[in-house]
Amino acid sequence: MYKIINYRNSLTHIEITNENDFSVTLSNYGASIYKVDTIDKYGNLETVTLSPRMVSYFKNPMYYGLTIGRVAGRVKNSMFKIDNKEYKIWPANDRGNLLHSGSYTIAYRTFDFDVESKNNLVDVSFSIHLKDMEDGFPGDLELRVQYRIDLDEKSILVNYYAISTKDTLLNITNHSYFNLSGNLKTTIEKHTLLINKECLADLDNNLIIRGITKVPKEFDFRKEMPIDKYLRSDLVLSKGSGGYDDIYTGKDPLYIELKDPSNGRMLIVESDYKDVVIFTNNFASETLFPNMDSDKPFNGIAIEPCRYTKILSDNGLLWHANALYKHYIKYTFKVSGE
């Protein structure tokens, strides 16, 4: 049902499989989802995540599969205040702003872990302790990222639990990219997408939130729509992102469907987070993937549930000392007709 593979540099993979139609590989590096394999309607078992070769895995700038924190998203000018005290995270890593907590992000840390298995459920719990200010943020932080792999349901449930000794900022998510074509045979441009969100963050040219607007038609996935229908429209390209790199929000818990009509694969993403970042991997990177000599645009879609629009409130992404941070994300893989 599962096996543990130890590599050099303290890297460990936990491979979980039902030996039939579903396989998940987790890693203690970044408490990450390294790889997911699922079948299509023709019975082909193939990889549906962007899972780089090991040479491209460590400190990859695209955060493939990694847990992001303490703060996912962008912090303007790499600076924030708590109780009128100013904190500056250095170095800024995104046009003067802080992206995904910068150089000290937990994405590039090695986590402790334990594994429990019962029937067709496998629980993998990753944990890490951050000391006050070691990553630029206040408070000793205890973080647990708990994965439950259901081999019958073909699902991955991720629970985040965190507690800090001081008021701090928290916004934790997973940064997996998906491509349901299998083994990156095609891009995600012909995939269809459904998002139950009626609002969109208004972003400036540095992708910093200025406010919230009603979702315009070019961004409106409340009815299932091919990703490429407006992908190259003037409005989508107007921010210089090269495609979708946007934050959706609304009043209801998150529900997303991603489908590849050509092979029947379907991914359902659910979360108690109200926000989600959608990024269509708009530019080729130097990342190397199995069976590919180079990356290319629109190779995958990152779906990042989060509480990012809270940054607009008076308290921003503030999380109070000794309060339990608890959120979940669930990924369920299906084939049409199931």
Side-chain angles (χ1 to χ4, degrees):
M1 184 178 293
Y2 77 88
K3 63 180 178 180
I4 296 174
I5 302 174
N6 294 310
Y7 298 92
R8 297 178 181 178
N9 302 320
S10 301
L11 175 66
T12 300
H13 281 177
I14 303 99
E15 294 184 354
I16 304 161
T17 179
N18 63 8
E19 298 182 351
N20 183 22
D21 57 6
F22 186 54
S23 176
V24 177
T25 300
L26 305 176
S27 176
N28 67 333
Y29 181 69
S32 62
I33 300 172
Y34 178 69
K35 186 162 74 84
V36 178
D37 294 345
T38 67
I39 62 165
D40 64 10
K41 66 181 180 181
Y42 305 108
N44 299 309
L45 181 64
E46 297 171 311
T47 300
V48 295
T49 49
L50 267 63
S51 307
R53 299 181 196 172
M54 287 298 178
V55 70
S56 299
Y57 190 40
F58 293 98
K59 291 208 171 183
N60 75 77
M62 305 303 290
Y63 304 96
Y64 295 107
L66 302 173
T67 299
I68 306 296
R70 296 186 192 192
V71 177
R74 291 171 173 83
V75 176
K76 186 177 181 179
N77 297 326
S78 194
M79 185 272 291
F80 60 94
K81 289 183 179 181
I82 297 178
D83 293 332
N84 294 319
K85 181 177 179 180
E86 184 173 294
Y87 295 87
K88 182 77 173 181
I89 310 292
W90 187 260
N93 63 330
D94 185 69
R95 292 169 283 187
N97 304 304
L98 189 72
L99 175 63
H100 295 330
S101 299
S103 300
Y104 303 105
T105 174
I106 60 173
Y108 301 148
R109 305 283 188 108
T110 300
F111 285 63
D112 296 324
F113 72 94
D114 59 68
V115 185
E116 293 184 4
S117 175
K118 185 177 181 180
N119 299 325
N120 276 332
L121 296 176
V122 180
D123 292 331
V124 182
S125 184
F126 295 100
S127 60
I128 196 169
H129 174 81
L130 299 181
K131 295 180 181 179
D132 180 32
M133 297 304 297
E134 76 167 281
D135 57 348
F137 294 90
D140 287 359
L141 184 75
E142 297 288 346
L143 170 64
R144 183 158 55 99
V145 182
Q146 184 182 55
Y147 290 92
R148 167 159 285 190
I149 312 301
D150 188 325
L151 293 171
D152 290 332
E153 188 181 49
K154 291 188 286 187
S155 66
I156 304 169
L157 174 64
V158 193
N159 283 297
Y160 300 107
Y161 304 97
I163 193 163
S164 173
T165 58
K166 295 181 180 179
D167 288 359
T168 192
L169 303 189
L170 285 178
N171 185 28
I172 302 167
T173 193
N174 180 274
H175 210 291
S176 289
Y177 294 72
F178 301 96
N179 183 327
L180 302 183
S181 70
N183 296 344
L184 300 179
K185 287 195 297 294
T186 68
T187 68
I188 50 88
E189 293 167 84
K190 297 300 181 183
H191 284 30
T192 64
L193 184 63
L194 181 148
I195 309 174
N196 70 328
K197 295 297 168 182
E198 68 275 11
C199 294
L200 193 72
D202 176 26
L203 304 175
D204 66 18
N205 288 335
N206 289 322
L207 303 180
I208 298 295
I209 299 179
R210 296 182 294 201
I212 303 295
T213 65
K214 291 293 184 182
V215 63
K217 70 175 184 179
E218 291 88 347
F219 296 81
D220 192 350
F221 289 95
R222 285 176 291 176
K223 292 184 179 180
E224 183 179 317
M225 183 170 72
I227 289 173
D228 70 347
K229 183 172 183 178
Y230 295 108
L231 183 62
R232 294 173 178 84
S233 66
D234 290 343
L235 185 59
V236 171
L237 297 178
S238 63
K239 294 187 298 296
S241 301
Y244 292 106
D245 191 356
D246 293 277
I247 306 162
Y248 288 79
T249 190
K251 62 182 183 299
D252 295 324
L254 180 66
Y255 180 86
I256 289 177
E257 292 181 1
L258 179 71
K259 299 177 183 178
D260 185 341
S262 71
N263 61 32
R265 284 193 180 101
M266 174 181 177
L267 168 63
I268 297 172
V269 181
E270 301 167 276
S271 179
D272 59 345
Y273 283 126
K274 301 294 180 66
D275 304 338
V276 62
V277 176
I278 298 294
F279 174 54
T280 47
N281 204 28
N282 304 322
F283 304 100
S285 71
E286 296 179 356
T287 305
L288 298 177
F289 297 96
N291 305 318
M292 291 186 65
D293 293 328
S294 62
D295 189 18
K296 56 185 175 183
F298 312 123
N299 229 2
I301 179 170
I303 300 172
E304 310 160 48
C306 57
R307 57 189 294 262
Y308 192 27
T309 58
K310 291 287 186 182
I311 207 164
L312 285 170
S313 70
D314 291 338
N315 291 326
L317 295 169
L318 180 70
W319 198 262
H320 289 295
N322 302 314
L324 178 64
Y325 182 99
K326 181 181 178 182
H327 284 284
Y328 77 87
I329 305 170
K330 185 178 182 181
Y331 309 92
T332 305
F333 297 87
K334 295 180 177 290
V335 177
S336 60
E338 287 186 338

